[in-house]
Amino acid sequence: MRVNRYVFWGMTKSTLSHVFLMSVALTCMFPLFWMLRCALMSNATVFVDQALIPHHLNFGNFAIAWTKGNFAVYFLNSVIYTVCVVSGIVLISSLAAFAFSRLKFPGKNIIFYLFVAAMMIPLPGSFVALFVLMTKLHLINTRFGYILCMINVGLSMSILIFKTFFDKMPHDLEDAARIDGCSKIGLWWHVAMPLARPAIAVVVIFNSLSVWNEYILAFLLLGDSRLMPLQRGLMVFQGANSTDYPVLMAGLTMAAIPIIMVYLFMQKNIVKGLSSGAVVG
C-alpha cells in the first residue's frame, strides 16, 4: 500500500507539472496564434469572424505588407545588421575574454570589472553619450554607426560568457599547443574557439534576439527609410496602416517568424552553453 501511495503521488505530481507547463506554453503561444489568425483575415471580417480558424484565408495581406510596406528593404537591413553585429561581437568579445582569462597584463582585473559594471547601465542611460559620439564622428544616419553602437551594447555580457568558459579550459591543452609552436592568436583560434562552440551559440542567440528586436537605438540614429531595420520600419508602417489590422498583423508575423525559427533551432544550446563551462575539454 505504501509503495502504491508513493507511485500515486509521483504520478499526480508529474501530471500537475505537465498541466502547468502546458498551460504556460499555451499562454505564451496564444498571442502568436492570434497574430497569425488576424493576418489571414480581411479588414471587414477581423472583428466579425469569431472562429479560431478564419473561414476565408487571405494570404494577400503578406504580399501587400512586403511590397506596400517596403518590408523587403527593412528585412534585408535587419539581416545585414544582425549578421554584422553578431559577427563583430563574437570576434571582439572572444578576443577580449581570452586576454582577460589566459594572459597577464597590468590592470587586467580593473578593466574586466569595468566591463562587468557596464552591464548595470541600462541602454537608455547611454543614449546621450552615444548620440554625441556618433554626431562628432559624422556617423549619424549611417549603417556603420548603427552597427558600431549595437556591437558596443552586446560586448559586456558576451565577454563575461566567454571568459567564464575560457577560465575552465584546461591548461594542459594550452601547454601542448605552445609546445607545437602556437602563438597567442593561434591558441585563441585553434584551441579556445573550437572548444567554445556552446558559448558561441549562446552569444549568437542572445545578441541575434537583441539586434533583431532593437527599436529605440535605430529610432535615435536612423532617419532614412532605406537604412531602417525591421522593427523601426514596422513603426513607420503602423503609422501608415493603423486601421488596416490584417496587413499590420501580416507585417508583424513576417518580423517575428525568422527570429522564432532561429531560437527554436538553437534553443538546446542555451542551457548547454551556460552549463558546459564546468566540463570543458
Side-chain angles (χ1 to χ4, degrees):
M1 291 294 293
R2 183 173 298 177
V3 174
N4 292 335
R5 185 179 301 174
Y6 289 152
V7 172
F8 172 77
W9 282 113
M11 293 179 61
T12 302
K13 289 173 62 177
S14 178
T15 301
L16 292 176
S17 298
H18 281 80
V19 170
F20 173 75
L21 293 175
M22 289 177 63
S23 64
V24 172
L26 289 174
T27 302
C28 295
M29 293 175 61
F30 183 76
L32 298 175
F33 168 77
W34 194 259
M35 178 177 66
L36 179 60
R37 173 187 177 275
C38 294
L40 295 173
M41 302 176 72
S42 65
N43 207 32
T45 61
V46 66
F47 294 115
V48 177
D49 192 348
Q50 301 297 324
L52 287 178
I53 305 298
H55 293 94
H56 301 285
L57 300 180
N58 184 11
F59 292 95
N61 294 325
F62 292 93
I64 295 174
W66 187 261
T67 55
K68 179 183 175 183
N70 207 22
F71 267 65
V73 175
Y74 300 148
F75 192 92
L76 179 61
N77 287 337
S78 283
V79 172
I80 293 173
Y81 294 144
T82 302
V83 172
C84 292
V85 171
V86 172
S87 300
I89 288 175
V90 171
L91 177 64
I92 297 172
S93 62
S94 61
L95 282 169
F98 185 78
F100 286 133
S101 177
R102 317 303 286 193
L103 304 182
K104 295 181 180 180
F105 54 91
K108 179 178 73 172
N109 292 332
I110 296 176
I111 298 174
F112 175 70
Y113 291 141
L114 287 176
F115 274 105
V116 174
M119 295 170 54
M120 297 184 290
I121 302 175
L123 181 59
S126 62
F127 279 173
V128 175
L130 284 175
F131 186 80
V132 171
L133 179 61
M134 291 297 106
T135 302
K136 290 184 177 180
L137 294 175
H138 304 288
L139 293 177
I140 293 293
N141 208 29
T142 63
R143 296 184 192 275
F144 187 62
Y146 179 69
I147 290 172
L148 284 180
C149 289
M150 289 306 300
I151 289 177
N152 172 73
V153 170
L155 277 182
S156 296
M157 175 63 76
S158 302
I159 289 175
L160 180 61
I161 293 174
F162 274 119
K163 185 180 181 299
T164 303
F165 194 93
F166 291 150
D167 284 344
K168 300 294 183 179
M169 190 174 69
H171 287 275
D172 294 342
L173 296 175
E174 184 178 346
D175 295 337
R178 288 186 183 277
I179 292 174
D180 290 337
C182 256
S183 63
K184 294 176 180 179
I185 293 295
L187 287 171
W188 165 75
W189 180 252
H190 295 292
V191 179
M193 292 304 285
L195 291 174
R197 289 177 182 173
I200 294 173
V202 173
V203 171
V204 168
I205 291 171
F206 285 165
N207 287 287
S208 295
L209 290 170
S210 174
V211 178
W212 190 269
N213 293 322
E214 204 284 322
Y215 166 75
I216 302 178
L217 195 58
F219 177 79
L220 182 70
L221 297 178
L222 301 176
D224 190 342
S225 61
R226 295 171 299 177
L227 304 177
M228 291 179 182
L230 197 53
Q231 302 302 326
R232 177 73 177 95
L234 273 173
M235 295 304 296
V236 176
F237 181 69
Q238 180 186 13
N241 298 271
S242 58
T243 58
D244 197 345
Y245 297 104
V247 175
L248 182 59
M249 291 298 174
L252 291 171
T253 301
M254 287 191 292
I257 286 178
I259 203 65
I260 291 175
M261 297 302 295
V262 170
Y263 180 79
L264 291 176
F265 181 73
M266 302 183 71
Q267 62 173 326
K268 292 182 180 179
N269 291 308
I270 295 179
V271 177
K272 180 181 178 182
L274 293 174
S275 62
S276 60
V279 292
V280 175

